[in-house]
Amino acid sequence: MRKFFIAGNWKMNLLRDSSVALVHQLLAQLNSSNNVDVAVCPPNVYLHDVGVALRGSLIRLGAQNVHHAAEGAFTGEVSCSMLQEFGCSYVILGHSERRAIFGETDLDVNTKLKAVLKSSMTPIVCVGETLAQREAGSTQTVVRGQCTHSLAGLTAEQMTKTVLAYEPVWAIGTGKTATPAQAEEVHADIRQLLESMFDRTVANSVVIQYGGSVKADNANELLSQPNIDGALVGGASLKAESFLPILEAALKIMK
Ligand code: PEP
């Protein structure tokens, strides 16, 4: 059975003190449970402080990006080994902001994904269509294309160790959320694609998060969909009072 996985993507928000304070609030109020996997992904410069604050807890640490190379002349970049030294368990790859603002392609995501899979960290590969693509009726083609190219060359074992996040670009940071039915339709289609690329056992084992304005008031309905296995949360992950209800919704459904 797949386990819910809720991750907070803090993006380029919060400073050191507010990051650590947020972790303390989460730990003080979270009903700790092994039933749901939880991670927070701060900016790289706060990985150390946040990692120290999380020590001994069930909340894992994640990064928002990584460079594929092990080392070298890549100014401004960090490697998988560097993230692991900070205790990272997860790395977000191909977030729509990385794709749209920094020009990351499916090939870049695929190269990074293979590097992360060689480490002991778990990649979270983001896919999702823009509003124009949805309105043009090409959601399925776009998402299937992103999955096919980003996941190219993976073994079945590597696929089972990879988390996917379906994040319609038009729902990220906009307050617009895909309806549970819209999200479920894409999640179910991704699972069908995984079955054709690998097999049914692999397809059924892959955790597929939904992301795009997930909040306390829509988490329950979204997470209740059969193919939605968690959430990648941006804005609502920046405050304990908006992140915790999403975790509580997941915990309640698992019971
Ligand atoms: C995200 O950035 O991955 C995201 C889903 O953001 P938000 O929850 O703010 O829409």
Side-chain angles (χ1 to χ4, degrees), residues 34-200:
N34 275 316
N35 289 343
V36 174
D37 289 326
V38 184
V40 292
C41 306
N44 286 347
V45 286
Y46 301 132
L47 284 173
H48 172 73
D49 297 273
V50 171
V52 168
L54 288 174
R55 222 169 258 166
S57 81
L58 290 174
I59 302 182
R60 300 275 165 263
L61 189 64
Q64 301 172 16
N65 183 30
V66 74
H67 192 276
H68 69 270
E71 62 184 358
F74 301 105
T75 302
E77 296 290 327
V78 299
S79 69
C80 289
S81 309
M82 293 169 183
L83 295 180
Q84 283 187 283
E85 273 202 328
F86 282 101
C88 282
S89 303
Y90 295 96
V91 190
I92 300 171
L93 299 176
H95 188 278
S96 64
E97 287 149 18
R98 299 283 334 157
R99 292 175 186 264
I101 304 170
F102 302 102
E104 275 187 19
T105 63
D106 289 330
L107 180 60
D108 295 327
V109 175
N110 184 253
T111 310
K112 290 175 184 213
L113 174 57
K114 287 175 179 159
V116 174
L117 285 167
K118 273 194 201 147
S119 74
S120 59
M121 296 184 292
T122 300
I124 303 172
V125 175
C126 303
V127 295
E129 80 288 1
T130 63
L131 185 59
Q133 289 165 334
R134 175 161 281 266
E135 287 176 348
S138 29
T139 299
Q140 187 189 43
T141 311
V142 169
V143 172
R144 279 186 165 239
Q146 287 174 332
C147 288
T148 305
H149 295 115
S150 301
L151 305 173
L154 260 56
T155 63
E157 196 195 345
Q158 286 175 320
M159 190 63 240
T160 60
K161 292 179 177 164
T162 299
V163 171
L164 296 180
Y166 167 58
E167 300 205 300
V169 179
W170 49 272
I172 295 181
T174 58
K176 286 183 195 163
T177 319
T179 63
Q182 282 175 321
E184 171 61 19
E185 186 184 18
V186 179
H187 281 240
D189 189 58
I190 292 174
R191 218 174 286 288
Q192 236 172 45
L193 173 70
L194 292 176
E195 187 174 335
S196 65
M197 288 173 75
F198 300 92
D199 60 40
R200 184 171 296 186

Side-chain angles (χ1 to χ4, degrees), residues 9 11 95 97 167 171-174 211-214 232-236:
N9 173 14
K11 310 190 185 185
H95 188 278
E97 287 149 18
E167 300 205 300
I172 295 181
T174 58
S213 300
V214 177
L232 183 54
V233 186

Side-chain angles (χ1 to χ4, degrees), residues 10 13-24 42-43 46 50 53:
W10 294 358
N13 292 300
L14 304 176
L15 293 175
R16 184 169 52 198
D17 288 353
S18 45
S19 297
V20 171
L22 174 54
V23 169
H24 288 153
Y46 301 132
V50 171

